[in-house]
Amino acid sequence: MATSFYSEDELKKIGFKSYGKNVLISRNAQIYGASKMVIGNNVRIDDFCVLSGAIELGSNIHIAVFCGIFAGNTGVKMCDFSTLSSRCVIYAESDDYSGEHFNKSNN
Protein backbone atom coordinates (compact mmCIF):
# COMPACT_ATOMS: atom_id res chain seq x y z
CA MET A 1 0.00 0.00 0.00
CA ALA A 2 1.37 3.40 -0.97
CA THR A 3 1.77 6.02 1.74
CA SER A 4 2.60 9.71 1.78
CA PHE A 5 5.41 9.04 4.30
CA TYR A 6 8.88 7.67 3.62
CA SER A 7 9.34 3.95 4.21
CA GLU A 8 11.99 2.61 6.59
CA ASP A 9 14.32 1.85 3.67
CA GLU A 10 13.85 5.36 2.28
CA LEU A 11 14.58 6.93 5.68
CA LYS A 12 17.89 5.03 5.79
CA LYS A 13 18.85 6.39 2.38
CA ILE A 14 18.21 10.01 3.42
CA GLY A 15 21.32 9.78 5.60
CA PHE A 16 20.25 11.10 9.01
CA LYS A 17 22.90 11.11 11.74
CA SER A 18 20.39 8.95 13.63
CA TYR A 19 16.67 8.38 13.93
CA GLY A 20 14.43 6.35 16.21
CA LYS A 21 11.36 4.18 15.84
CA ASN A 22 8.00 5.20 14.41
CA VAL A 23 9.36 8.17 12.45
CA LEU A 24 6.92 9.52 9.86
CA ILE A 25 8.31 12.10 7.43
CA SER A 26 6.19 13.28 4.53
CA ARG A 27 7.55 12.71 1.05
CA ASN A 28 6.57 16.36 0.47
CA ALA A 29 8.94 17.66 3.18
CA GLN A 30 12.37 18.98 2.21
CA ILE A 31 15.44 17.88 4.21
CA TYR A 32 18.82 19.63 3.83
CA GLY A 33 21.90 18.49 5.76
CA ALA A 34 20.37 15.23 7.02
CA SER A 35 23.79 14.03 8.21
CA LYS A 36 23.58 16.70 10.95
CA MET A 37 20.09 15.67 12.13
CA VAL A 38 19.11 13.48 15.07
CA ILE A 39 15.48 12.36 15.31
CA GLY A 40 13.98 10.55 18.29
CA ASN A 41 11.08 8.10 18.53
CA ASN A 42 7.48 8.82 17.55
CA VAL A 43 8.21 11.86 15.39
CA ARG A 44 5.93 13.07 12.61
CA ILE A 45 6.87 15.74 10.06
CA ASP A 46 4.02 16.79 7.79
CA ASP A 47 3.79 18.05 4.19
CA PHE A 48 5.68 21.09 2.94
CA CYS A 49 8.03 21.41 5.90
CA VAL A 50 11.65 22.45 5.36
CA LEU A 51 14.36 21.28 7.76
CA SER A 52 17.91 22.49 7.28
CA GLY A 53 21.09 22.20 9.33
CA ALA A 54 21.98 20.82 12.75
CA ILE A 55 18.59 19.79 14.13
CA GLU A 56 17.92 17.54 17.11
CA LEU A 57 14.35 16.36 17.59
CA GLY A 58 13.53 14.52 20.80
CA SER A 59 10.75 11.95 21.04
CA ASN A 60 6.97 12.35 20.70
CA ILE A 61 7.21 15.40 18.45
CA HIS A 62 4.87 16.64 15.73
CA ILE A 63 5.88 19.27 13.18
CA ALA A 64 2.73 20.39 11.37
CA VAL A 65 2.26 21.39 7.74
CA PHE A 66 4.24 24.35 6.25
CA CYS A 67 6.80 24.65 9.08
CA GLY A 68 10.46 25.49 8.70
CA ILE A 69 13.47 24.90 10.91
CA PHE A 70 16.61 26.64 9.67
CA ALA A 71 19.31 25.60 12.13
CA GLY A 72 22.53 26.28 10.23
CA ASN A 73 25.59 25.20 12.20
CA THR A 74 24.31 26.82 15.43
CA GLY A 75 21.62 24.15 15.79
CA VAL A 76 18.05 23.83 17.00
CA LYS A 77 16.90 21.33 19.62
CA MET A 78 13.25 20.44 20.20
CA CYS A 79 12.69 18.59 23.47
CA ASP A 80 10.43 15.59 24.04
CA PHE A 81 6.65 16.16 23.79
CA SER A 82 6.94 19.43 21.86
CA THR A 83 5.24 20.53 18.66
CA LEU A 84 5.29 23.20 15.99
CA SER A 85 1.87 24.35 14.87
CA SER A 86 1.33 24.90 11.15
CA ARG A 87 3.21 27.76 9.46
CA CYS A 88 5.75 28.25 12.29
CA VAL A 89 9.37 28.99 11.44
CA ILE A 90 12.46 28.73 13.65
CA TYR A 91 15.73 30.42 12.69
CA ALA A 92 18.92 29.66 14.63
CA GLU A 93 20.98 32.05 12.52
CA SER A 94 20.24 35.18 10.58
CA ASP A 95 21.97 37.59 8.24
CA ASP A 96 23.23 41.00 9.32
CA TYR A 97 20.45 43.41 8.34
CA SER A 98 22.16 46.57 9.59
CA GLY A 99 23.09 47.67 6.08
CA GLU A 100 26.80 47.71 6.92
CA HIS A 101 27.44 44.25 5.46
CA PHE A 102 26.02 42.06 2.72
CA ASN A 103 25.08 38.49 3.71
CA LYS A 104 27.26 37.92 6.81
CA SER A 105 30.24 39.44 5.04
CA ASN A 106 32.88 41.20 7.12
CA ASN A 107 33.96 43.44 4.24
Side-chain angles (χ1 to χ4, degrees):
M1 181 169 112
T3 175
S4 62
F5 297 105
Y6 287 115
S7 69
E8 180 71 22
D9 288 337
E10 290 170 322
L11 284 174
K12 288 178 186 175
K13 291 177 185 176
I14 292 172
F16 292 109
K17 185 172 183 180
S18 67
Y19 67 93
K21 297 177 182 176
N22 194 30
V23 172
L24 297 174
I25 299 176
S26 169
R27 295 174 191 277
N28 293 314
Q30 297 296 310
I31 308 292
Y32 301 99
S35 64
K36 297 179 183 179
M37 295 182 192
V38 174
I39 300 176
N41 298 315
N42 305 311
V43 173
R44 177 178 167 147
I45 301 171
D46 288 343
D47 291 347
F48 312 115
C49 292
V50 179
L51 279 68
S52 177
I55 297 171
E56 182 178 340
L57 303 177
S59 293
N60 303 300
I61 288 177
H62 178 217
I63 300 175
V65 65
F66 291 112
C67 286
I69 303 176
F70 302 96
N73 291 320
T74 301
V76 167
K77 179 178 181 179
M78 288 182 64
C79 296
D80 294 350
F81 298 100
S82 59
T83 67
L84 280 182
S85 185
S86 60
R87 298 188 183 271
C88 290
V89 180
I90 298 172
Y91 297 96
E93 298 177 355
S94 182
D95 279 339
D96 177 358
Y97 296 103
S98 68
E100 295 180 23
H101 305 287
F102 181 71
N103 293 336
K104 295 186 185 179
S105 170
N106 290 328
N107 299 331

